[in-house]
Amino acid sequence: MLVKIILTAFLFLSLNIAYTQTSGIGNVISVESIAKKIESNKEGIIKAKNNLVQLEDALNSKLQKLRDEITALYKERDNIISDMKVGARCSQCNKWKSEFEKNGESFQKHLGDVNGYAVPATTSELEETRKKYTERIALKKVQLQNIEKGDNGILKKKEDIVKLEKENETLCNSITTQSKTYETTVFSEAKNKHNQWIGDLMNYASSILIADDKITIAKTNVIKYKKEFETEAERIREQVKTDTKEAQNKLTADIDVNEQKSQLILTEQKEYLSPVEKQLAELKKQKSTLDWDLKKTTITPTEKDSLLKNQQQLIIQINGLNKNIQQYKATVKSKLSQIESDNKKLKDDIWELTVNLPKKQEQEVAKIKPTYDTKITAANDMASRATTELTLARKTYADKATVYKNSNSDYIDIVILESNRMLSAAQMVNCSVWNEVRGMVATNWSKVFPCVNNITTLAKPFSSNVFNAYCSGTSSSAYLTSYKSFLSSLNADDKAAIKANSNADWFNLITK
């Protein structure tokens, strides 16, 4: 009991330790790390864009200033040229009207203040002015072009931004890839765990099937032994009946022989006595004649003496024959009496056999009954032990199934936690992730576990095969090696008993 508790505790701790993370945790960490990198890149992009705006503003400011300066030069040139053409230059200071107006001064007032007058420009002065302004404008344009074409940091900032955005796109794709790898890895791990658990549960299911089959075999054997006993008992009764009939027939034959002996003795007696009785009658006739002659008064003494002598001889002969007849008849009577006595005994024996037939039959049956009683008792004992085994096997299976169901729930909780970590990290950076593995794991367990569970409840007489298309790849007979080994050890009668109590298709599959 202590060992069982220790093993149970060890299993519990092992399961808890095993389910702190999945084999895909590396992908989770990678997704979170990549998301952080994307966040960092986004911050870099924002910063670069802000810097870009500042650089572009500064650049635009410079460009606009130069463009304004160029425009001003064009305007200044045109005004001066216009002034030079119409004679709008002070004779005293040689400044042009446009210069005073540029400073907000009145050219006419200036002329009055300095007692000057307007002087027109010469052609050479006009060309010189145009040339000067052309050079100045050209210089500004060169400056403008140099600034526009020059390395002002804007292009690099834009390149940096594009690079970071492309890197983020790649990183985002990497998050999606990592999530898919996580899904594949975790689902593969889950299926391996499920297969391992299913294999273990199949062993416990095998114990249930074996115990149940032992009960079936035992109960079938009880019925078989009872039938065998009844068949053998009936055979013995018929044999005793046949033997009795043969004994009776023999006794009847002996009676017939005795009857024949009696008839033969009577025939012999008749054949023997007939001449003797005939001779006796003749002697009696002679004696009667002689007796008649002795009564005659005319006979002489001598004749009388002779007659008396003859009479005495006849009496002796007659008495001898009578004695012989009596002795013979007495002997015959004795023989007939013995035969009659023998026949009476034989008839009594025949009657005794008839009367004692049921008793004799049961006596002979009783001789084989202990053997079958022993077999039936042993089969009932086997059924009782197997029933106890079945109860224990079902409880052990239920306990183990609960452990694995809880283990799967714990595993799914970890998958949900890790998936949510990836989802949260991906959502923060607007990246897509594969997020179906939790459902895939739950679905796979919901598929494989009932397939095993069905074996413990539906493998016996049901019309549908428990290894159907839904379960074909999960709970195949390959898992039930111990059960198949048990079946292979049985004789044909035991297998037939189990098949009769099992789903036929399932049994045929399991015994292939």
Side-chain angles (χ1 to χ4, degrees), residues 14-55:
S14 298
L15 290 174
N16 283 341
I17 293 171
Y19 298 150
T20 56
Q21 60 188 29
T22 70
S23 59
I25 188 64
N27 300 113
V28 177
I29 294 172
S30 292
V31 167
E32 292 175 332
S33 176
I34 293 170
K36 289 179 180 179
K37 176 61 175 174
I38 292 175
E39 282 290 327
S40 176
N41 285 350
K42 284 186 175 182
E43 292 176 359
I45 291 172
I46 293 172
K47 185 176 180 181
K49 284 183 177 181
N50 290 334
N51 290 336
L52 179 62
V53 169
Q54 294 174 359
L55 288 173

Side-chain angles (χ1 to χ4, degrees), residues 233-336:
E234 186 60 29
R235 186 195 68 76
I236 289 174
R237 290 188 184 97
E238 287 298 319
Q239 185 62 48
V240 171
K241 183 178 180 180
T242 299
D243 292 345
T244 299
K245 187 64 177 178
E246 290 178 356
Q248 288 176 327
N249 289 339
K250 184 176 182 306
L251 294 175
T252 299
D254 290 342
I255 290 173
D256 290 341
V257 170
N258 286 342
E259 291 292 340
Q260 291 174 5
K261 286 181 180 179
S262 295
Q263 291 298 323
L264 181 60
I265 290 172
L266 290 174
T267 299
E268 289 176 349
Q269 175 182 267
K270 183 177 182 181
E271 291 176 353
Y272 179 79
L273 292 180
S274 180
V276 175
E277 288 176 343
K278 185 176 181 182
Q279 182 182 1
L280 179 60
E282 183 61 31
L283 290 175
K284 285 182 177 181
K285 182 178 178 183
Q286 290 178 11
K287 180 178 177 297
S288 176
T289 301
L290 188 57
D291 289 342
W292 180 258
D293 288 341
L294 286 173
K295 290 179 181 180
K296 291 179 182 181
T297 59
T298 59
I299 61 172
T300 64
T302 303
E303 290 177 336
K304 186 177 181 177
D305 289 338
S306 178
L307 289 171
L308 287 172
K309 287 181 180 179
N310 290 336
Q311 183 187 42
Q312 189 64 34
Q313 289 179 349
L314 287 172
I315 289 172
I316 292 170
Q317 288 180 343
I318 290 170
N319 289 337
L321 289 176
N322 280 330
K323 184 178 180 181
N324 185 26
I325 290 171
Q326 290 175 356
Q327 288 177 344
Y328 191 84
K329 285 183 175 182
T331 300
V332 169
K333 183 179 180 181
S334 175
K335 289 181 179 180
L336 292 176

Side-chain angles (χ1 to χ4, degrees), residues 469-483:
Y470 182 68
C471 296
S472 61
T474 302
S475 53
S476 67
S477 61
Y479 281 108
L480 299 170
T481 53
S482 59
Y483 181 57

Side-chain angles (χ1 to χ4, degrees), residues 354-367:
T354 302
V355 172
N356 290 334
L357 175 60
K359 181 179 179 181
K360 179 65 175 175
Q361 287 175 322
E362 296 312 311
Q363 286 176 341
E364 293 301 317
V365 169
K367 293 179 181 178

